Amino acid sequence: MHIEPGNGTQHLELLLLGLAEDPELQPLIFGLFLSMYLVTVLGNLLIILATISDSHLHTPMYYFLSNLSFVDICFTSTTVPKMLVNIQTQSKAITYAGCITQIHFFVLFTGLDDFLLTVMAYDRFVAICHPLHYMVIMNGRLCGFLVLVSWVVSALHAFLQSLMVLRLSFCPDLEIPHFFCELNQVVHCACSDTFLNELVIYFAVVFLGGVPLTGILYSYCKIVSSIRAISSVQGKYKAFSTCASHLSVVSLFYGTSLGVYFSSAVTQNSHSIATASVMYTVVTPMLNPFIYSLRNKDIKSALRRLCEKV
């Protein structure tokens, strides 16, 4: 028996199996994820407030950073609160509508993270390779346009993936071996033919993952060439330090994302895939504010001034 897309699915409940079956581990997982979620929200919120309140940070780089911080809060809020509620209520259930909503927003904010990191790489490329024309090229209109395009493309992609899942049929008592409704896992759990869904996911990964990554790699190739051309060691260090934080965040995001993607292609162990995905869904958004604040004097001084005001 399977439930066709349409009226039958609105009463369908799915079970999120989570990270561990052992009941004794649940309080530990709850405490760990609640702590990481609160640190993520607080850390990224401080970055946003520091950027807004300090006029020294009203530059393209920090405009993109505050957008990234906002997206990271939303990204984590898509999955972690539902997981915490399920552990607290000792329930694994999520409604069909809730699952589709989670897929939509998870795909949306993953795409936005991807595009914003690419835009930030372009910003660093212009700053280091064309420093004299930086403020002319990276004007307010272009910055707003780049963020708007990132939102529109990500929203359209999320809408497409949601529609593709809505056409699938599912069996009752469906169990998803993950702590949230991850797109791949949900598609693989469908009772109907998933060839078209897998094709769309594949092309989305190649185009929406590959093109931004190519843009980032191209930007950094040009940045490295420009830095090598600088004669003084101090000048080289200063130029590299302006993009070190961004490079760290990019490495963390793409390293963990690609690691999960390739491990899911190699291994069939869903539990290990779910555990590995914690890295890019929870740990990376939590570490981003630390990477930017610990390595950045402007952010440090802005946060200090913000604390003094409070």
Side-chain angles (χ1 to χ4, degrees), residues 190-207:
C191 296
S192 53
D193 181 48
T194 60
F195 173 74
L196 194 59
N197 291 72
E198 287 170 2
L199 195 67
V200 170
I201 291 169
Y202 174 77
F203 277 110
V205 168
V206 170
F207 181 71

mmCIF file with all atom_site columns, all heavy atoms in Angstrom, residues 190-207:
data_model
loop_
_atom_site.group_PDB
_atom_site.id
_atom_site.type_symbol
_atom_site.label_atom_id
_atom_site.label_alt_id
_atom_site.label_comp_id
_atom_site.label_asym_id
_atom_site.label_entity_id
_atom_site.label_seq_id
_atom_site.pdbx_PDB_ins_code
_atom_site.Cartn_x
_atom_site.Cartn_y
_atom_site.Cartn_z
_atom_site.occupancy
_atom_site.B_iso_or_equiv
_atom_site.pdbx_formal_charge
_atom_site.auth_seq_id
_atom_site.auth_comp_id
_atom_site.auth_asym_id
_atom_site.auth_atom_id
_atom_site.pdbx_PDB_model_num
ATOM 1   N N   . ALA A 1 190 ? 10.772 7.166  -1.106  1.00 0.00 ? 190 ALA A N   1
ATOM 2   C CA  . ALA A 1 190 ? 9.504  7.191  -1.863  1.00 0.00 ? 190 ALA A CA  1
ATOM 3   C C   . ALA A 1 190 ? 9.192  5.811  -2.445  1.00 0.00 ? 190 ALA A C   1
ATOM 4   O O   . ALA A 1 190 ? 10.100 5.021  -2.722  1.00 0.00 ? 190 ALA A O   1
ATOM 5   C CB  . ALA A 1 190 ? 9.583  8.224  -2.970  1.00 0.00 ? 190 ALA A CB  1
ATOM 6   N N   . CYS A 1 191 ? 7.900  5.549  -2.621  1.00 0.00 ? 191 CYS A N   1
ATOM 7   C CA  . CYS A 1 191 ? 7.453  4.270  -3.181  1.00 0.00 ? 191 CYS A CA  1
ATOM 8   C C   . CYS A 1 191 ? 7.327  4.331  -4.707  1.00 0.00 ? 191 CYS A C   1
ATOM 9   O O   . CYS A 1 191 ? 7.231  3.299  -5.356  1.00 0.00 ? 191 CYS A O   1
ATOM 10  C CB  . CYS A 1 191 ? 6.092  3.875  -2.594  1.00 0.00 ? 191 CYS A CB  1
ATOM 11  S SG  . CYS A 1 191 ? 6.163  3.582  -0.824  1.00 0.00 ? 191 CYS A SG  1
ATOM 12  N N   . SER A 1 192 ? 7.278  5.532  -5.263  1.00 0.00 ? 192 SER A N   1
ATOM 13  C CA  . SER A 1 192 ? 7.120  5.702  -6.714  1.00 0.00 ? 192 SER A CA  1
ATOM 14  C C   . SER A 1 192 ? 8.483  5.917  -7.389  1.00 0.00 ? 192 SER A C   1
ATOM 15  O O   . SER A 1 192 ? 9.512  5.979  -6.713  1.00 0.00 ? 192 SER A O   1
ATOM 16  C CB  . SER A 1 192 ? 6.194  6.880  -7.011  1.00 0.00 ? 192 SER A CB  1
ATOM 17  O OG  . SER A 1 192 ? 6.640  8.034  -6.334  1.00 0.00 ? 192 SER A OG  1
ATOM 18  N N   . ASP A 1 193 ? 8.483  6.009  -8.707  1.00 0.00 ? 193 ASP A N   1
ATOM 19  C CA  . ASP A 1 193 ? 9.711  6.170  -9.484  1.00 0.00 ? 193 ASP A CA  1
ATOM 20  C C   . ASP A 1 193 ? 10.360 7.528  -9.171  1.00 0.00 ? 193 ASP A C   1
ATOM 21  O O   . ASP A 1 193 ? 9.705  8.569  -9.239  1.00 0.00 ? 193 ASP A O   1
ATOM 22  C CB  . ASP A 1 193 ? 9.394  6.073  -10.979 1.00 0.00 ? 193 ASP A CB  1
ATOM 23  C CG  . ASP A 1 193 ? 10.645 6.207  -11.830 1.00 0.00 ? 193 ASP A CG  1
ATOM 24  O OD1 . ASP A 1 193 ? 11.640 5.533  -11.519 1.00 0.00 ? 193 ASP A OD1 1
ATOM 25  O OD2 . ASP A 1 193 ? 10.626 7.011  -12.787 1.00 0.00 ? 193 ASP A OD2 1
ATOM 26  N N   . THR A 1 194 ? 11.651 7.496  -8.839  1.00 0.00 ? 194 THR A N   1
ATOM 27  C CA  . THR A 1 194 ? 12.359 8.720  -8.417  1.00 0.00 ? 194 THR A CA  1
ATOM 28  C C   . THR A 1 194 ? 13.417 9.169  -9.429  1.00 0.00 ? 194 THR A C   1
ATOM 29  O O   . THR A 1 194 ? 14.226 10.042 -9.112  1.00 0.00 ? 194 THR A O   1
ATOM 30  C CB  . THR A 1 194 ? 13.040 8.496  -7.046  1.00 0.00 ? 194 THR A CB  1
ATOM 31  O OG1 . THR A 1 194 ? 13.986 7.413  -7.185  1.00 0.00 ? 194 THR A OG1 1
ATOM 32  C CG2 . THR A 1 194 ? 12.026 8.149  -5.968  1.00 0.00 ? 194 THR A CG2 1
ATOM 33  N N   . PHE A 1 195 ? 13.412 8.587  -10.631 1.00 0.00 ? 195 PHE A N   1
ATOM 34  C CA  . PHE A 1 195 ? 14.457 8.891  -11.623 1.00 0.00 ? 195 PHE A CA  1
ATOM 35  C C   . PHE A 1 195 ? 14.524 10.395 -11.925 1.00 0.00 ? 195 PHE A C   1
ATOM 36  O O   . PHE A 1 195 ? 15.596 10.985 -11.933 1.00 0.00 ? 195 PHE A O   1
ATOM 37  C CB  . PHE A 1 195 ? 14.222 8.109  -12.914 1.00 0.00 ? 195 PHE A CB  1
ATOM 38  C CG  . PHE A 1 195 ? 15.170 8.498  -14.022 1.00 0.00 ? 195 PHE A CG  1
ATOM 39  C CD1 . PHE A 1 195 ? 16.503 8.089  -13.998 1.00 0.00 ? 195 PHE A CD1 1
ATOM 40  C CD2 . PHE A 1 195 ? 14.745 9.315  -15.067 1.00 0.00 ? 195 PHE A CD2 1
ATOM 41  C CE1 . PHE A 1 195 ? 17.392 8.467  -15.002 1.00 0.00 ? 195 PHE A CE1 1
ATOM 42  C CE2 . PHE A 1 195 ? 15.632 9.703  -16.073 1.00 0.00 ? 195 PHE A CE2 1
ATOM 43  C CZ  . PHE A 1 195 ? 16.950 9.268  -16.041 1.00 0.00 ? 195 PHE A CZ  1
ATOM 44  N N   . LEU A 1 196 ? 13.361 11.008 -12.158 1.00 0.00 ? 196 LEU A N   1
ATOM 45  C CA  . LEU A 1 196 ? 13.309 12.436 -12.500 1.00 0.00 ? 196 LEU A CA  1
ATOM 46  C C   . LEU A 1 196 ? 13.820 13.292 -11.342 1.00 0.00 ? 196 LEU A C   1
ATOM 47  O O   . LEU A 1 196 ? 14.541 14.280 -11.555 1.00 0.00 ? 196 LEU A O   1
ATOM 48  C CB  . LEU A 1 196 ? 11.880 12.838 -12.886 1.00 0.00 ? 196 LEU A CB  1
ATOM 49  C CG  . LEU A 1 196 ? 11.699 14.193 -13.589 1.00 0.00 ? 196 LEU A CG  1
ATOM 50  C CD1 . LEU A 1 196 ? 12.506 14.244 -14.881 1.00 0.00 ? 196 LEU A CD1 1
ATOM 51  C CD2 . LEU A 1 196 ? 10.226 14.450 -13.888 1.00 0.00 ? 196 LEU A CD2 1
ATOM 52  N N   . ASN A 1 197 ? 13.437 12.917 -10.115 1.00 0.00 ? 197 ASN A N   1
ATOM 53  C CA  . ASN A 1 197 ? 13.905 13.645 -8.922  1.00 0.00 ? 197 ASN A CA  1
ATOM 54  C C   . ASN A 1 197 ? 15.423 13.592 -8.798  1.00 0.00 ? 197 ASN A C   1
ATOM 55  O O   . ASN A 1 197 ? 16.073 14.609 -8.536  1.00 0.00 ? 197 ASN A O   1
ATOM 56  C CB  . ASN A 1 197 ? 13.280 13.060 -7.654  1.00 0.00 ? 197 ASN A CB  1
ATOM 57  C CG  . ASN A 1 197 ? 11.800 13.327 -7.569  1.00 0.00 ? 197 ASN A CG  1
ATOM 58  O OD1 . ASN A 1 197 ? 11.025 12.727 -8.314  1.00 0.00 ? 197 ASN A OD1 1
ATOM 59  N ND2 . ASN A 1 197 ? 11.386 14.206 -6.682  1.00 0.00 ? 197 ASN A ND2 1
ATOM 60  N N   . GLU A 1 198 ? 15.979 12.378 -8.988  1.00 0.00 ? 198 GLU A N   1
ATOM 61  C CA  . GLU A 1 198 ? 17.425 12.196 -8.871  1.00 0.00 ? 198 GLU A CA  1
ATOM 62  C C   . GLU A 1 198 ? 18.161 12.966 -9.958  1.00 0.00 ? 198 GLU A C   1
ATOM 63  O O   . GLU A 1 198 ? 19.256 13.495 -9.722  1.00 0.00 ? 198 GLU A O   1
ATOM 64  C CB  . GLU A 1 198 ? 17.763 10.705 -8.920  1.00 0.00 ? 198 GLU A CB  1
ATOM 65  C CG  . GLU A 1 198 ? 17.377 9.982  -7.635  1.00 0.00 ? 198 GLU A CG  1
ATOM 66  C CD  . GLU A 1 198 ? 17.467 8.468  -7.737  1.00 0.00 ? 198 GLU A CD  1
ATOM 67  O OE1 . GLU A 1 198 ? 17.873 7.975  -8.813  1.00 0.00 ? 198 GLU A OE1 1
ATOM 68  O OE2 . GLU A 1 198 ? 17.123 7.794  -6.755  1.00 0.00 ? 198 GLU A OE2 1
ATOM 69  N N   . LEU A 1 199 ? 17.554 13.042 -11.150 1.00 0.00 ? 199 LEU A N   1
ATOM 70  C CA  . LEU A 1 199 ? 18.136 13.794 -12.263 1.00 0.00 ? 199 LEU A CA  1
ATOM 71  C C   . LEU A 1 199 ? 18.195 15.288 -11.938 1.00 0.00 ? 199 LEU A C   1
ATOM 72  O O   . LEU A 1 199 ? 19.218 15.944 -12.161 1.00 0.00 ? 199 LEU A O   1
ATOM 73  C CB  . LEU A 1 199 ? 17.302 13.556 -13.534 1.00 0.00 ? 199 LEU A CB  1
ATOM 74  C CG  . LEU A 1 199 ? 17.933 13.951 -14.871 1.00 0.00 ? 199 LEU A CG  1
ATOM 75  C CD1 . LEU A 1 199 ? 19.134 13.065 -15.184 1.00 0.00 ? 199 LEU A CD1 1
ATOM 76  C CD2 . LEU A 1 199 ? 16.907 13.854 -15.990 1.00 0.00 ? 199 LEU A CD2 1
ATOM 77  N N   . VAL A 1 200 ? 17.086 15.817 -11.385 1.00 0.00 ? 200 VAL A N   1
ATOM 78  C CA  . VAL A 1 200 ? 17.013 17.239 -11.008 1.00 0.00 ? 200 VAL A CA  1
ATOM 79  C C   . VAL A 1 200 ? 18.025 17.539 -9.895  1.00 0.00 ? 200 VAL A C   1
ATOM 80  O O   . VAL A 1 200 ? 18.717 18.564 -9.946  1.00 0.00 ? 200 VAL A O   1
ATOM 81  C CB  . VAL A 1 200 ? 15.581 17.632 -10.571 1.00 0.00 ? 200 VAL A CB  1
ATOM 82  C CG1 . VAL A 1 200 ? 15.551 19.025 -9.949  1.00 0.00 ? 200 VAL A CG1 1
ATOM 83  C CG2 . VAL A 1 200 ? 14.624 17.579 -11.762 1.00 0.00 ? 200 VAL A CG2 1
ATOM 84  N N   . ILE A 1 201 ? 18.133 16.655 -8.900  1.00 0.00 ? 201 ILE A N   1
ATOM 85  C CA  . ILE A 1 201 ? 19.096 16.839 -7.802  1.00 0.00 ? 201 ILE A CA  1
ATOM 86  C C   . ILE A 1 201 ? 20.522 16.838 -8.349  1.00 0.00 ? 201 ILE A C   1
ATOM 87  O O   . ILE A 1 201 ? 21.341 17.681 -7.965  1.00 0.00 ? 201 ILE A O   1
ATOM 88  C CB  . ILE A 1 201 ? 18.923 15.740 -6.720  1.00 0.00 ? 201 ILE A CB  1
ATOM 89  C CG1 . ILE A 1 201 ? 17.595 15.919 -5.976  1.00 0.00 ? 201 ILE A CG1 1
ATOM 90  C CG2 . ILE A 1 201 ? 20.087 15.767 -5.721  1.00 0.00 ? 201 ILE A CG2 1
ATOM 91  C CD1 . ILE A 1 201 ? 17.214 14.758 -5.088  1.00 0.00 ? 201 ILE A CD1 1
ATOM 92  N N   . TYR A 1 202 ? 20.804 15.908 -9.269  1.00 0.00 ? 202 TYR A N   1
ATOM 93  C CA  . TYR A 1 202 ? 22.148 15.802 -9.856  1.00 0.00 ? 202 TYR A CA  1
ATOM 94  C C   . TYR A 1 202 ? 22.526 17.085 -10.600 1.00 0.00 ? 202 TYR A C   1
ATOM 95  O O   . TYR A 1 202 ? 23.612 17.636 -10.393 1.00 0.00 ? 202 TYR A O   1
ATOM 96  C CB  . TYR A 1 202 ? 22.207 14.597 -10.803 1.00 0.00 ? 202 TYR A CB  1
ATOM 97  C CG  . TYR A 1 202 ? 23.514 14.490 -11.559 1.00 0.00 ? 202 TYR A CG  1
ATOM 98  C CD1 . TYR A 1 202 ? 24.667 14.003 -10.931 1.00 0.00 ? 202 TYR A CD1 1
ATOM 99  C CD2 . TYR A 1 202 ? 23.613 14.891 -12.902 1.00 0.00 ? 202 TYR A CD2 1
ATOM 100 C CE1 . TYR A 1 202 ? 25.875 13.918 -11.610 1.00 0.00 ? 202 TYR A CE1 1
ATOM 101 C CE2 . TYR A 1 202 ? 24.814 14.814 -13.586 1.00 0.00 ? 202 TYR A CE2 1
ATOM 102 C CZ  . TYR A 1 202 ? 25.942 14.327 -12.940 1.00 0.00 ? 202 TYR A CZ  1
ATOM 103 O OH  . TYR A 1 202 ? 27.128 14.249 -13.614 1.00 0.00 ? 202 TYR A OH  1
ATOM 104 N N   . PHE A 1 203 ? 21.621 17.578 -11.452 1.00 0.00 ? 203 PHE A N   1
ATOM 105 C CA  . PHE A 1 203 ? 21.892 18.797 -12.213 1.00 0.00 ? 203 PHE A CA  1
ATOM 106 C C   . PHE A 1 203 ? 22.009 20.018 -11.294 1.00 0.00 ? 203 PHE A C   1
ATOM 107 O O   . PHE A 1 203 ? 22.806 20.924 -11.547 1.00 0.00 ? 203 PHE A O   1
ATOM 108 C CB  . PHE A 1 203 ? 20.818 19.033 -13.280 1.00 0.00 ? 203 PHE A CB  1
ATOM 109 C CG  . PHE A 1 203 ? 21.064 18.267 -14.550 1.00 0.00 ? 203 PHE A CG  1
ATOM 110 C CD1 . PHE A 1 203 ? 20.255 17.194 -14.908 1.00 0.00 ? 203 PHE A CD1 1
ATOM 111 C CD2 . PHE A 1 203 ? 22.125 18.594 -15.374 1.00 0.00 ? 203 PHE A CD2 1
ATOM 112 C CE1 . PHE A 1 203 ? 20.506 16.472 -16.071 1.00 0.00 ? 203 PHE A CE1 1
ATOM 113 C CE2 . PHE A 1 203 ? 22.381 17.886 -16.553 1.00 0.00 ? 203 PHE A CE2 1
ATOM 114 C CZ  . PHE A 1 203 ? 21.567 16.818 -16.898 1.00 0.00 ? 203 PHE A CZ  1
ATOM 115 N N   . ALA A 1 204 ? 21.210 20.032 -10.208 1.00 0.00 ? 204 ALA A N   1
ATOM 116 C CA  . ALA A 1 204 ? 21.277 21.137 -9.239  1.00 0.00 ? 204 ALA A CA  1
ATOM 117 C C   . ALA A 1 204 ? 22.627 21.152 -8.536  1.00 0.00 ? 204 ALA A C   1
ATOM 118 O O   . ALA A 1 204 ? 23.228 22.225 -8.341  1.00 0.00 ? 204 ALA A O   1
ATOM 119 C CB  . ALA A 1 204 ? 20.151 21.014 -8.221  1.00 0.00 ? 204 ALA A CB  1
ATOM 120 N N   . VAL A 1 205 ? 23.132 19.968 -8.153  1.00 0.00 ? 205 VAL A N   1
ATOM 121 C CA  . VAL A 1 205 ? 24.440 19.866 -7.490  1.00 0.00 ? 205 VAL A CA  1
ATOM 122 C C   . VAL A 1 205 ? 25.546 20.329 -8.432  1.00 0.00 ? 205 VAL A C   1
ATOM 123 O O   . VAL A 1 205 ? 26.432 21.101 -8.043  1.00 0.00 ? 205 VAL A O   1
ATOM 124 C CB  . VAL A 1 205 ? 24.711 18.418 -6.999  1.00 0.00 ? 205 VAL A CB  1
ATOM 125 C CG1 . VAL A 1 205 ? 26.175 18.242 -6.582  1.00 0.00 ? 205 VAL A CG1 1
ATOM 126 C CG2 . VAL A 1 205 ? 23.793 18.056 -5.838  1.00 0.00 ? 205 VAL A CG2 1
ATOM 127 N N   . VAL A 1 206 ? 25.471 19.884 -9.703  1.00 0.00 ? 206 VAL A N   1
ATOM 128 C CA  . VAL A 1 206 ? 26.497 20.246 -10.691 1.00 0.00 ? 206 VAL A CA  1
ATOM 129 C C   . VAL A 1 206 ? 26.465 21.744 -10.984 1.00 0.00 ? 206 VAL A C   1
ATOM 130 O O   . VAL A 1 206 ? 27.501 22.420 -10.955 1.00 0.00 ? 206 VAL A O   1
ATOM 131 C CB  . VAL A 1 206 ? 26.318 19.437 -12.003 1.00 0.00 ? 206 VAL A CB  1
ATOM 132 C CG1 . VAL A 1 206 ? 27.220 19.978 -13.114 1.00 0.00 ? 206 VAL A CG1 1
ATOM 133 C CG2 . VAL A 1 206 ? 26.609 17.971 -11.758 1.00 0.00 ? 206 VAL A CG2 1
ATOM 134 N N   . PHE A 1 207 ? 25.247 22.281 -11.225 1.00 0.00 ? 207 PHE A N   1
ATOM 135 C CA  . PHE A 1 207 ? 25.137 23.686 -11.626 1.00 0.00 ? 207 PHE A CA  1
ATOM 136 C C   . PHE A 1 207 ? 25.223 24.638 -10.437 1.00 0.00 ? 207 PHE A C   1
ATOM 137 O O   . PHE A 1 207 ? 26.051 25.556 -10.418 1.00 0.00 ? 207 PHE A O   1
ATOM 138 C CB  . PHE A 1 207 ? 23.822 23.917 -12.378 1.00 0.00 ? 207 PHE A CB  1
ATOM 139 C CG  . PHE A 1 207 ? 23.645 25.331 -12.850 1.00 0.00 ? 207 PHE A CG  1
ATOM 140 C CD1 . PHE A 1 207 ? 24.412 25.839 -13.896 1.00 0.00 ? 207 PHE A CD1 1
ATOM 141 C CD2 . PHE A 1 207 ? 22.720 26.178 -12.241 1.00 0.00 ? 207 PHE A CD2 1
ATOM 142 C CE1 . PHE A 1 207 ? 24.268 27.158 -14.325 1.00 0.00 ? 207 PHE A CE1 1
ATOM 143 C CE2 . PHE A 1 207 ? 22.563 27.490 -12.658 1.00 0.00 ? 207 PHE A CE2 1
ATOM 144 C CZ  . PHE A 1 207 ? 23.338 27.973 -13.704 1.00 0.00 ? 207 PHE A CZ  1
#
